[in-house]
Amino acid sequence: MTDTMPGTTTDREMKRALWRGWRRRCPNCGEGAMMDGYLAVNDACPHCGEALHHHRADDGPPYLTLLIVGHIVGPAMLWGYIAYEPTPLVFIAVFGLASILMSLWFLPRLKGFLVAMQWATRMGGFGRADPAA
């Protein structure tokens, strides 16, 4: 099974692209940085020149971040409260900090993941032929 659309000439391997996106690397070459800073996506890969400005990640990365962090922290809060019965200040400090740190870690990785998924499936402008070619 290939990851191509009808009428396209090259394959784009989904698993490799997703792994590269998770690592915040160009989904095409895996060498160049996808991100310019924390969340801004480069217009093109600095290594291979692949256009990345077509992405439309929009609200997907924050939604997925909230979904994942909520499913980890929620049960952990219940377990921590029952097991240790912490004071409210300790409870808020521990789980608030855990939520913030996990969100900050997941958000750019999930954005890279979604941009790579769009690239691999040729969503949006990623499926069009390059007019300069």
Side-chain angles (χ1 to χ4, degrees):
M1 181 174 154
T2 61
D3 295 332
T4 60
M5 289 178 34
T8 60
T9 58
T10 59
D11 292 340
R12 292 184 176 176
E13 187 178 335
M14 177 70 79
K15 288 180 185 178
R16 185 179 326 182
L18 294 178
W19 176 244
R20 289 173 175 173
W22 179 261
R23 291 181 10 237
R24 296 167 295 161
R25 296 285 171 205
C26 171
N28 185 45
C29 68
E31 297 294 324
M34 180 189 294
M35 305 289 190
D36 178 27
Y38 182 64
L39 284 177
V41 177
N42 286 324
D43 287 339
C45 173
H47 186 263
C48 70
E50 178 73 25
L52 299 172
H53 63 88
H54 304 298
H55 79 88
R56 294 292 179 261
D58 299 330
D59 292 336
Y63 175 79
L64 290 175
T65 298
L66 178 64
L67 186 72
I68 292 169
V69 171
H71 278 84
I72 294 170
V73 173
M77 289 172 67
L78 179 61
W79 174 81
Y81 184 76
I82 291 171
Y84 298 106
E85 296 182 19
T87 65
L89 184 59
V90 169
F91 187 80
I92 291 170
V94 168
F95 290 107
L97 184 62
S99 297
I100 290 168
L101 292 176
M102 289 174 64
S103 295
L104 290 173
W105 189 81
F106 273 112
L107 188 58
R109 285 157 181 80
L110 289 170
K111 184 164 187 175
F113 185 88
L114 286 176
V115 170
M117 181 187 68
Q118 292 173 2
W119 177 84
T121 58
R122 301 176 191 276
M123 290 175 67
F126 288 118
R128 293 187 215 124
D130 185 10

